[in-house]
Amino acid sequence: MSIYQKILVAIDLTEEAPQVLNKAVEVSKALGAQLILAHVVEPVGYAYGGDIPMDLTELQDQLDKAAKDQLSQYGDQYGVSKENQVVTVGRPESEIHRLSKEQDVDLVIVGSHGRKGFQLLLGSTANGVLHGTVCDVLAVRIH
């Protein structure tokens, strides 16, 4: 029996996502673990500070649909079934923490740019995931 049976890989849908996905697929195959693919869409209100008095529902719906479509393409490409593809809305760190508990995962895999100095003080999603997840976290270095 493998130490990791269920792995959550959280990606940001940028051109760097395949680097993280390739590593996650390698790990899941080597361990015979189930892979769950996740993306978190930040609420549109966060981008605008929530100070704009307008209805952003349609824009949020478009972003959600685009994310689901892109995640579905990655799922097809990397052999992750539809039921193991999750798009959710919220703060990435919080949602990854929630999903890891809800899905009862043993390992979370995220990408990391390996920032140093001042940039590190500002924090990163990988750092936020590490500090609050109840399971192990693997940060894949993005080149």
Side-chain angles (χ1 to χ4, degrees):
M1 179 192 269
S2 172
I3 188 169
Y4 300 120
Q5 296 180 27
K6 203 181 242 191
I7 300 171
L8 174 72
V9 58
I11 58 171
D12 61 7
L13 303 180
T14 64
E15 65 277 353
E16 298 162 336
Q19 292 180 54
V20 179
L21 285 166
N22 287 331
K23 187 67 72 170
V25 168
E26 283 179 41
V27 171
S28 70
K29 284 183 178 177
L31 299 174
Q34 178 183 4
L35 193 62
I36 300 168
L37 188 55
H39 173 70
V40 180
V41 178
E42 290 195 56
V44 176
Y46 285 3
Y48 296 104
D51 295 335
I52 298 176
M54 62 188 338
D55 184 7
L56 300 171
T57 306
E58 187 175 330
L59 177 59
Q60 186 72 57
D61 290 344
Q62 289 174 356
L63 291 172
D64 293 350
K65 183 185 179 329
K68 287 177 183 173
D69 290 347
Q70 175 105 30
L71 197 72
S72 178
Q73 289 176 13
Y74 279 130
D76 292 345
Q77 182 179 349
Y78 289 90
V80 179
S81 64
K82 296 282 185 205
E83 59 269 6
N84 285 341
Q85 299 173 22
V86 180
V87 173
T88 185
V89 178
R91 291 185 45 87
E93 301 89 348
S94 301
E95 287 300 301
I96 294 168
H97 293 160
R98 182 185 65 76
L99 285 171
S100 67
K101 289 177 190 169
E102 188 178 278
Q103 298 287 333
D104 195 29
V105 301
D106 309 298
L107 177 67
V108 174
I109 299 178
V110 293
S112 175
H113 290 92
R115 294 185 173 98
K116 299 176 183 153
F118 185 68
Q119 290 177 321
L120 185 61
L121 292 176
L122 297 176
S124 68
T125 300
N127 191 42
V129 170
L130 179 63
H131 293 78
T133 305
V134 295
C135 63
D136 291 345
V137 176
L138 172 62
V140 175
R141 175 82 56 187
I142 294 174
H143 302 287

